[in-house]
Amino acid sequence: MIYLTKVLQEEMKFAAKNVNYWTSVTTLMPLLGGFLADGYLGRFSTVLYSTLIYLTGLILMAVSQLAPRLKPEHNLHLHETLFFIGIYLVSIGTGGHKPALESFGADQFDDSHATERVQKMSYFNWWNCALCSGLLLGVTLIVYLQERVGWGAANIVLAGIMAASLVLFLTGWRFYRYRVPEGSPLTPLVRVVIAAGRKRHLELPTDANELYEVKAHNIKRRLLCHTDQLRFLDKAAIVEHGGGEERYGAWRLATVTQVEETKLVLTMVPIWVATLPFGITVAQVSTFFIKQASVMNRHLGPHFTMPPASTFALAAVGMIITVAVYDKVLEPYLRRLTGADRGISILKRIGVGIAFTIVAMVVAAAVEKRRLSSPSPAAMSVFWLLPQFMLMGVGDGFAIVGLQEYFYDQVPDSMRSLGIGLYLSVIGAGSFLSSQLITAVDRVTSHGGRAAGWFGKDLNSSRLDLFYGLLACIGVANLVFYMAVATRYSYKTVKGAARVIDDKAGGDIECATASGY
């Protein structure tokens, strides 16, 4: 945001749109990267190749900022072109790196082992602690280098760190647990839909045990329990007697597990939609929150001024504290209280996070209104933004970690990198929708450009307080919708030898539908 407005001289609203578009691509690319990792390349190889692409983007940006003939003051158009090529190469690299690395880490835990299953729940908490610690250094140390030394030098440091992380990752290759890719993870889902369509005229048996399923000892994959949701798809598992071998082909007959995996993916769609307004809210932190900080008093003593982007550290600190407290204090207490491994269900955790971000928008609106009404807005301390940043960090500590665990845990086992991609797509689609919302609000409030709208050329001529208030209202309405969807959701239930692991209750229970918010 700072680079686009200060170096490339873009107006605030255009810079915010560019940031949102880039964030959208960066967080939607993992859908492709996760698909390739799960189906064809494998997660380890995807991490390796995507990191090399990521490094190429960082190096290209560094060159465009250090080479005299490529600097913006010499040729702004060429510099801008190279900058966007470099930063979108980072997007492509992120598309493979983020989903494959996180899911590959989670693959190191055995779901069938009770201790490792609990450890994996903590893994997602500490993954985000590590991620936020890196982000904390990124928005303090790296931003300081950008401000005091130069953007090119900062990108060289980032490239060096990324190269070192790749070397560190490769040192463990002998000790990792690997999952062999089995081809497109979407093909079995399509087969179920087609098989159900072909047998649409058949009657479903009254006893679900009559539906087709392979024997557990014949395969290495985990088998899922039958549920009563989306019963039409159960027709794919009806065994047709007579008619030859074609009756038992993969496009004509599916197992109960394949049918249940298809149901899981379809029932995720309403949850995904219900979390999009949360993604819109998150997009404000890296755009308008930072821009607010850039026009406020950031002096820390007589000799030091905090870079605007460093205020992002406040949200990171809030998330680190929240995740640490949740993992070490709140979750053990809730575990003892409820008897469940997770303490509270994944969807409840997400709902709590969404509620915190709504409060953050209300606080942000109040702070911005006070800033605009101040006789000297530039003299107002940047620490007025502390509550909204911290509340967003707390919300992320609940919702983002919950979304990661939900989309990794509830997708079919063969789609777990794609599941992480689905989580990231919430943030990406939210950023894209944020851009569209800014455009729509600007058009409506400015009457097509004929009057002053909510988004002026700078913050002092804008009405961000009203925009934040609008986001809070959208968030409240959506939270009601989210709760309605979540209360009807049925969690994945996995068969054991004679019992099943229930991902909601977190213990061994008889094979039954686990539902409820």
Side-chain angles (χ1 to χ4, degrees):
M1 188 70 177
I2 302 300
Y3 194 85
L4 292 176
T5 54
K6 298 293 185 182
V7 179
L8 299 185
Q9 302 296 315
E10 291 189 358
E11 287 186 18
M12 184 189 70
K13 62 182 177 182
F14 293 117
K17 288 179 186 177
N18 274 325
V19 170
N20 284 329
Y21 284 138
W22 177 78
T23 304
S24 301
V25 173
T26 305
T27 46
L28 289 172
M29 279 299 295
L31 290 173
L32 176 60
F35 174 80
L36 294 174
D38 286 337
Y40 301 101
L41 298 177
R43 290 160 192 167
F44 180 87
S45 297
T46 303
V47 173
L48 173 61
Y49 299 143
S50 61
T51 303
L52 295 175
I53 296 173
Y54 202 121
L55 273 169
T56 303
L58 290 173
I59 292 169
L60 181 59
M61 285 195 292
V63 169
S64 72
Q65 290 148 356
L66 293 174
R69 291 184 176 275
L70 300 178
K71 289 186 175 181
E73 55 268 25
H74 186 273
N75 191 328
L76 180 60
H77 179 70
L78 178 59
H79 175 84
E80 186 177 26
T81 301
L82 292 175
F83 169 78
F84 277 109
I85 291 173
I87 207 166
Y88 276 98
L89 280 174
V90 169
S91 292
I92 296 171
T94 301
H97 186 272
K98 276 194 173 182
L101 185 60
E102 185 171 356
S103 58
F104 186 69
D107 286 346
Q108 307 312 304
F109 300 90
D110 186 356
D111 281 318
S112 63
H113 191 280
T115 302
E116 290 193 26
R117 191 168 71 246
V118 174
Q119 289 173 339
K120 187 165 75 172
M121 295 174 194
S122 286
Y123 163 78
F124 287 101
N125 289 327
W126 293 107
W127 167 276
N128 281 279
C129 268
L131 196 67
C132 283
S133 298
L135 187 143
L136 198 58
L137 292 172
V139 298
T140 52
L141 177 62
I142 299 301
V143 168
Y144 182 81
L145 286 174
Q146 290 170 344
E147 294 267 329
R148 299 301 178 93
V149 182
W151 295 90
N155 278 325
I156 288 177
V157 172
L158 289 174
I161 293 171
M162 198 68 182
S165 74
L166 178 60
V167 172
L168 182 63
F169 174 72
L170 293 175
T171 58
W173 71 274
R174 291 178 180 272
F175 310 103
Y176 295 138
R177 291 171 175 171
Y178 296 90
R179 186 182 187 89
V180 179
E182 302 173 351
S184 171
L186 301 180
T187 301
L189 310 184
V190 176
R191 285 173 176 168
V192 167
V193 175
I194 291 177
R198 285 179 169 180
K199 292 184 277 189
R200 61 188 178 277
H201 299 303
L202 299 181
E203 291 291 332
L204 283 169
T206 54
D207 185 0
N209 290 323
E210 296 179 23
L211 298 174
Y212 177 67
E213 182 61 287
V214 296
K215 300 297 183 183
H217 61 268
N218 291 337
I219 60 170
K220 295 181 179 180
R221 295 179 60 190
R222 299 190 299 168
L223 301 181
L224 302 184
C225 295
H226 175 264
T227 63
D228 289 330
Q229 58 184 349
L230 301 177
R231 290 295 307 278
F232 170 78
L233 293 176
D234 288 344
K235 293 187 177 184
I238 296 176
V239 178
E240 299 174 282
H241 300 288
E245 292 185 1
E246 69 274 4
R247 297 284 189 178
Y248 298 91
W251 294 89
R252 185 83 186 186
L253 179 64
T255 66
V256 169
T257 293
Q258 290 171 333
V259 171
E260 291 303 318
E261 288 178 341
T262 306
K263 291 179 182 180
L264 283 171
V265 173
L266 292 177
T267 54
M268 281 182 171
V269 174
I271 299 292
W272 186 87
V273 171
T275 54
L276 289 179
F278 165 75
I280 295 175
T281 304
V282 169
Q284 310 316 310
V285 180
S286 58
T287 53
F288 289 135
F289 278 23
I290 300 299
K291 192 61 182 175
Q292 281 179 285
S294 70
V295 298
M296 298 176 77
N297 182 5
R298 293 173 279 108
H299 292 288
L300 302 178
H303 305 296
F304 182 76
T305 302
M306 181 193 298
S310 293
T311 55
F312 203 96
L314 301 174
V317 169
M319 186 172 183
I320 290 171
I321 293 172
T322 301
V323 169
V325 171
Y326 185 89
D327 189 79
K328 293 299 183 183
V329 180
L330 186 58
E331 190 170 52
Y333 169 75
L334 292 171
R335 195 175 291 154
R336 291 191 300 269
L337 187 67
T338 64
D341 282 348
R342 285 193 174 90
I344 61 173
S345 67
I346 304 174
L347 293 179
K348 281 182 180 175
R349 180 174 183 170
I350 296 169
V352 171
I354 292 173
F356 269 106
T357 59
I358 294 170
V359 177
M361 287 298 102
V362 174
V363 171
V367 170
E368 178 62 8
K369 186 174 182 179
R370 179 182 175 86
R371 191 191 70 83
L372 289 173
S373 62
S374 173
S376 179
M380 190 170 171
S381 172
V382 73
F383 288 104
W384 275 91
L385 301 180
L386 176 63
Q388 66 197 61
F389 272 107
M390 291 294 287
L391 283 167
M392 286 300 300
V394 172
D396 288 350
F398 280 93
I400 284 185
V401 181
L403 284 167
Q404 288 174 350
E405 192 172 356
Y406 169 75
F407 282 110
Y408 175 87
D409 189 73
Q410 294 296 302
V411 294
D413 291 354
S414 62
M415 293 178 61
R416 285 181 157 173
S417 294
L418 192 56
I420 298 297
L422 284 169
Y423 137 69
L424 291 166
S425 73
V426 170
I427 310 301
S431 294
F432 177 77
L433 290 173
S434 178
S435 295
Q436 300 306 306
L437 185 62
I438 291 170
T439 301
V441 169
D442 184 49
R443 183 178 295 116
V444 171
T445 58
S446 67
H447 302 287
R450 295 188 299 274
W454 287 4
F455 301 102
K457 290 188 175 182
D458 54 50
L459 277 186
N460 291 333
S461 60
S462 301
R463 291 303 306 270
L464 274 189
D465 56 327
L466 298 179
F467 183 64
Y468 289 150
L470 174 63
L471 291 179
C473 292
I474 293 173
V476 170
N478 177 72
L479 184 58
V480 175
F481 170 64
Y482 172 82
M483 293 176 66
V485 170
T487 52
R488 289 166 173 78
Y489 183 79
S490 293
Y491 288 82
K492 179 197 290 185
T493 49
V494 183
K495 289 182 180 178
R499 304 174 76 78
V500 8
I501 300 164
D502 177 351
D503 287 301
K504 172 176 178 284
D508 291 339
I509 62 170
E510 294 298 333
C511 194
T513 300
S515 62
Y517 179 49

